Amino acid sequence: GENVEQHPSTLSVQEGDSAVIKCTYSDSASNYFPWYKQELGKGPQLIIDIRSNVGEKKDQRIAVTLNKTAKHFSLHITETQPEDSAVYFCAASSPGGSQGNLIFGKGTKLSVKP
Amino acid sequence: DGGITQSPKYLFRKEGQNVTLSCEQNLNHDAMYWYRQDPGQGLRLIYYSQIVNDFQKGDIAEGYSVSREKKESFPLTVTSAQKNPTAFYLCASSGRQGGSEQFFGPGTRLTVL
């Protein structure tokens, strides 16, 4: 089955710097890659997602890149702000049956220091 | 106001008792999911349901049970057979299984004393 590895587990940056979180997946059939942000004591919220027919997607300060050949995808946050501090999860999903479920990485705790 | 709700937010139970966590959605989603979250771990799938009256075991179903009698509701029962039930439980729903955004509820923190 699918396996998703996420690095780093913790990341600390200064306000205004960029942050990059990387994930690798094992199932070459996976075609949907969402990123979730989880604030303390709350449920995860989708911040951006990408499908396998696209190499990069941007939404204001957030971007995701996908390298299907290498089976890895990354989240890029530019001009970080204190409110970006949270735990970020990547996930991968392959189509159909039980493989259609999302498999999550273990999360990255991002701290943005003012 | 569409969304997914879980209740209660905090739940305390004595060891050996069964407890049921509520999950309701008004998004008209077919698929619903239950995840368990432990510190330093990702989200692990307990059970999922693609359609009413049907559900499947996830990766860590032992000690849990579910029902899906209505499209809007997917309650999770944590039974006394679950050896380490203290955790943060998250419910989610999606329009379809696979390749589709999952919307999460606010979670229920269960503490077994």
Side-chain angles (χ1 to χ4, degrees):
Chain A
E2 177 65 279
N3 183 49
V4 176
E5 300 280 342
Q6 182 172 348
H7 299 280
S9 56
T10 60
L11 180 59
S12 181
V13 300
Q14 287 294 134
E15 183 177 358
D17 287 350
S18 295
V20 180
I21 302 170
K22 299 181 180 181
C23 288
T24 60
Y25 61 98
S26 59
D27 186 355
S28 56
S30 289
N31 62 354
Y32 176 64
F33 307 92
W35 285 90
Y36 285 85
K37 175 183 180 182
Q38 185 178 29
E39 297 178 347
L40 194 62
K42 297 183 178 180
Q45 282 196 304
L46 180 77
I47 55 171
I48 196 166
D49 57 11
I50 192 168
R51 299 189 184 275
S52 58
N53 58 347
V54 175
E56 182 176 358
K57 185 176 178 181
K58 266 187 170 181
D59 183 4
Q60 300 183 336
R61 296 186 297 109
I62 293 172
V64 57
T65 58
L66 172 65
N67 183 328
K68 285 192 296 181
T69 303
K71 289 190 281 188
H72 67 70
F73 56 112
S74 300
L75 177 72
H76 304 253
I77 306 174
T78 58
E79 300 171 25
T80 53
Q81 300 167 3
E83 51 265 37
D84 294 329
S85 296
V87 178
Y88 292 81
F89 291 96
C90 64
S93 168
S94 52
S98 61
Q99 290 83 18
N101 294 321
L102 289 177
I103 305 299
F104 286 85
K106 292 191 175 182
T108 296
K109 184 176 181 180
L110 174 64
S111 300
V112 180
K113 298 181 179 179
Chain B
D1 189 21
I4 182 165
T5 58
Q6 292 183 244
S7 60
K9 189 167 179 62
Y10 299 97
L11 192 54
F12 296 89
R13 280 293 182 269
K14 291 183 179 179
E15 195 171 338
Q17 289 182 332
N18 291 355
V19 60
T20 298
L21 282 58
S22 168
C23 177
E24 304 277 332
Q25 54 98 2
N26 61 3
L27 300 167
N28 199 33
H29 284 167
D30 286 319
M32 296 187 75
Y33 311 82
W34 273 106
Y35 293 92
R36 171 182 172 136
Q37 188 175 30
D38 294 286
Q41 298 287 324
L43 281 65
R44 293 185 290 169
L45 185 65
I46 305 172
Y47 267 98
Y48 64 100
S49 168
Q50 299 179 57
I51 198 167
V52 174
N53 293 322
D54 184 60
F55 48 83
Q56 306 294 330
K57 292 182 179 181
D59 299 322
I60 56 165
E62 185 176 350
Y64 300 97
S65 65
V66 294
S67 62
R68 187 86 188 275
E69 297 177 0
K70 297 187 299 181
K71 188 175 186 178
E72 304 80 23
S73 179
F74 191 40
L76 173 74
T77 297
V78 184
T79 75
S80 57
Q82 168 49 233
K83 294 177 183 176
N84 186 18
T86 294
F88 190 51
Y89 290 89
L90 287 159
C91 180
S93 69
S94 66
R96 59 181 173 89
Q97 189 195 18
S100 178
E101 177 184 357
Q102 289 188 18
F103 293 81
F104 283 84
T108 292
R109 184 164 298 280
L110 172 64
T111 302
V112 175
L113 307 170

